[in-house]
Amino acid sequence: MRKKAISASVIKRLPRYYRFLGDLSLKGIERISSGNLARRMGVTASQIRQDLNCFGGFGQQGYGYNIEQLRLAIGDILGFSNAKKTILIGAGNLGRALAAHMDFAGKGYQLIGVFDKKPSLIGQVVSDLPIRDIAGLDEFCRENRPEMAILCIPREETQETARTLVSLGIRGFWNFTHYDLSVEFPDVAVENVHLGDSLMTLSYHLSHPKDTK
Amino acid sequence: MRKKAISASVIKRLPRYYRFLGDLSLKGIERISSGNLARRMGVTASQIRQDLNCFGGFGQQGYGYNIEQLRLAIGDILGFSNAKKTILIGAGNLGRALAAHMDFAGKGYQLIGVFDKKPSLIGQVVSDLPIRDIAGLDEFCRENRPEMAILCIPREETQETARTLVSLGIRGFWNFTHYDLSVEFPDVAVENVHLGDSLMTLSYHLSHPKDTK
DNA sequence: TAGATTGTTAATCGATTAACAATC
DNA sequence: TAGATTGTTAATCGATTAACAATC
């Protein structure tokens, strides 16, 4: 049933295509060639054609790609069409900011619950959802069957919380903790965001400026 | 003066080494072999040795690596030793959460100013800093010479704001906007975080579960 | 039709892994 | 010293780029 697996490099580039195609669509442009898109994105036309052809022939010789059609196709590939029920664990500064700031619906997610253990937070409303006591997590999951969990909790609690969540049916984590979930849980999808790593990488580049070639 | 350039793949792995070495150090472990570290991190020992040897021989045959010594060396390579003055542009939910949540000092950054244009925010205090009117940005930069800017502003304002900041001496961006700064500014260091892309990638993996091999 | 541009194969390049002599 | 483990070279693997026949 499945063709050969798509490489991680290709998958990580799809969201960027999706974004650029969205911009072009908003500008009212209807079609684009791989060469033109490549110039705008700072990549090679070959790469774009290779990447897209992992999933099928979306273009037309002599014409290029229909922007809106391609955008929708990539959205489908990325899985935006099915509603993925999502919970947020940890409603501190970062958790609340994410709940308020991200466009979950546009990516096929549906935020259905927010949890924290801190009494002063419980009951507050974030993004139209009441912050619930983490003590009610089991019951909530059994009733509502969320499949994705956003982790904004302290490092020390991550491993145990993740194990609990997996046992409750969670199949993917968007992990903002300083703990590396990738090593365990081979069957669970994990995106480790690691904002600290990103800041460290930037520090390297600031400290080692490129020569002007 | 400079040796051959280090590849981006290697640089992006350094923060993860730094983190794992920090954990080991806290556990009171003193030395480790590439093989042991590789097992813990889920990578190959070859990769660790190759990566480290881009920067010099930190290990000792028959012994391995001294954890704390290696950690400090990687911190130096990442540039944590010089204080990088930093400003935050945009003090909305996400900006304020980052200011409160991140350990800037531990990575050699020093947050010295927070800016927004929204009157109701100006004057509020975030992470011990008053939110300033963006109108005073020029003067502040000329006086204080920040070199890095965190961008938490709307998409539409990004390009122009970034250009202004570069003209005011900013040499690096930690970019949380939905706009892709990488294409312009060849001489400026940019880390595009693109939380949305990460969420989309996760969506793909949730929608295409791996076969249990 | 002629020109443009794809889909796809082949060539190149870079990154990862394996192997092992050097050496602590 | 003998055993362990590095630093480093060589082999493999995968990803990117180039090229071009197919075709709209």
Side-chain angles (χ1 to χ4, degrees):
Chain A
M1 187 86 190
R2 304 168 73 237
K3 316 195 121 191
K4 55 187 178 294
I6 311 295
S7 85
S9 327
V10 174
I11 295 162
K12 279 217 301 281
R13 281 193 292 264
L14 293 178
R16 192 153 181 265
Y17 294 137
Y18 188 82
R19 259 193 298 121
F20 272 80
L21 291 167
D23 300 349
L24 291 166
S25 203
L26 281 178
K27 283 186 193 158
I29 307 176
E30 215 174 55
R31 58 179 250 202
I32 196 162
S33 68
S34 58
N36 185 341
L37 184 58
R39 217 169 314 119
R40 290 170 192 261
M41 296 185 66
V43 300
T44 65
S46 268
Q47 183 163 79
I48 292 176
R49 294 208 297 279
Q50 286 277 29
D51 283 356
L52 297 180
N53 278 93
C54 293
F55 303 98
F58 299 112
Q60 197 169 80
Q61 282 98 331
Y63 171 89
Y65 299 86
N66 177 292
I67 287 172
E68 189 55 14
Q69 198 180 293
L70 180 58
R71 190 182 139 267
L72 292 172
I74 293 177
D76 261 8
I77 292 162
L78 287 170
F80 297 169
S81 37
N82 53 339
K84 297 170 286 283
K85 286 194 239 169
T86 298
I87 53 177
L88 167 63
I89 313 293
N93 286 314
L94 186 60
R96 293 200 309 275
L98 291 173
H101 179 268
M102 297 301 302
D103 172 23
F104 290 104
K107 298 165 186 79
Y109 292 93
Q110 194 191 352
L111 188 63
I112 61 167
V114 178
F115 295 85
D116 207 294
K117 66 176 181 189
K118 201 172 168 192
S120 64
L121 287 174
I122 294 165
Q124 283 188 30
V125 173
V126 174
S127 196
D128 293 333
L129 293 168
I131 300 179
R132 294 163 190 272
D133 190 331
I134 190 83
L137 182 63
D138 287 39
E139 197 191 335
F140 183 91
C141 288
R142 272 192 289 269
E143 269 175 31
N144 297 283
R145 302 253 146 242
E147 57 173 312
M148 197 275 267
I150 306 168
L151 301 180
C152 293
I153 53 180
R155 209 202 125 73
E156 315 78 71
E157 298 168 19
T158 307
Q159 193 173 32
E160 200 197 324
T161 305
R163 283 180 185 156
T164 304
L165 287 165
V166 169
S167 78
L168 289 168
I170 291 291
R171 297 175 41 248
F173 290 107
W174 201 27
N175 177 31
F176 285 83
T177 75
H178 294 180
Y179 183 84
D180 239 285
L181 278 180
S182 31
V183 179
E184 342 175 47
F185 307 120
D187 290 342
V188 173
V190 176
E191 274 283 306
N192 288 302
V193 176
H194 291 316
L195 295 175
D197 287 15
S198 168
L199 198 48
M200 293 192 224
T201 303
L202 180 59
S203 175
Y204 179 91
H205 291 298
L206 281 166
S207 310
H208 304 261
K210 271 182 269 173
D211 294 318
T212 312
K213 199 196 302 161
Chain B
M1 187 91 189
R2 304 167 73 238
K3 315 193 124 192
K4 55 188 177 291
I6 310 296
S7 85
S9 328
V10 174
I11 295 163
K12 280 218 300 282
R13 282 194 292 265
L14 293 179
R16 190 152 182 265
Y17 294 137
Y18 188 82
R19 260 193 297 121
F20 272 80
L21 292 167
D23 300 349
L24 292 166
S25 202
L26 281 177
K27 283 186 192 156
I29 307 175
E30 215 175 56
R31 56 180 253 201
I32 197 162
S33 68
S34 58
N36 185 342
L37 184 58
R39 217 171 312 119
R40 290 170 192 260
M41 296 185 66
V43 300
T44 65
S46 267
Q47 182 163 80
I48 293 177
R49 294 209 296 281
Q50 286 277 28
D51 284 356
L52 297 180
N53 278 94
C54 293
F55 303 98
F58 299 111
Q60 197 169 79
Q61 282 97 333
Y63 172 89
Y65 299 86
N66 177 293
I67 287 171
E68 188 54 14
Q69 197 180 292
L70 180 58
R71 189 182 140 268
L72 291 172
I74 293 177
D76 261 7
I77 292 163
L78 287 170
F80 297 169
S81 37
N82 52 341
K84 296 170 286 284
K85 287 194 239 168
T86 298
I87 53 177
L88 167 64
I89 313 294
N93 286 314
L94 186 60
R96 294 199 309 274
L98 291 173
H101 179 268
M102 298 301 302
D103 172 24
F104 290 104
K107 299 166 185 80
Y109 292 93
Q110 193 191 353
L111 188 62
I112 61 166
V114 179
F115 294 85
D116 206 294
K117 66 177 180 189
K118 201 173 167 192
S120 63
L121 287 173
I122 294 166
Q124 282 188 29
V125 173
V126 174
S127 196
D128 293 332
L129 293 168
I131 300 179
R132 295 163 190 272
D133 189 331
I134 190 82
L137 181 64
D138 286 39
E139 196 191 336
F140 183 91
C141 288
R142 272 191 290 268
E143 268 174 31
N144 297 284
R145 302 253 145 242
E147 58 174 312
M148 198 275 268
I150 307 168
L151 301 181
C152 293
I153 54 181
R155 206 202 128 72
E156 315 78 71
E157 298 169 19
T158 308
Q159 193 174 33
E160 200 197 324
T161 305
R163 282 179 186 158
T164 304
L165 286 165
V166 169
S167 78
L168 289 167
I170 290 291
R171 295 175 41 247
F173 290 106
W174 201 26
N175 177 31
F176 285 83
T177 75
H178 294 180
Y179 182 84
D180 238 285
L181 278 180
S182 32
V183 179
E184 340 175 47
F185 307 120
D187 289 342
V188 173
V190 176
E191 273 284 305
N192 288 302
V193 175
H194 289 316
L195 295 175
D197 287 14
S198 168
L199 198 49
M200 293 191 224
T201 303
L202 180 59
S203 175
Y204 178 91
H205 291 298
L206 281 165
S207 310
H208 304 260
K210 271 181 270 177
D211 295 317
T212 313
K213 201 194 303 161

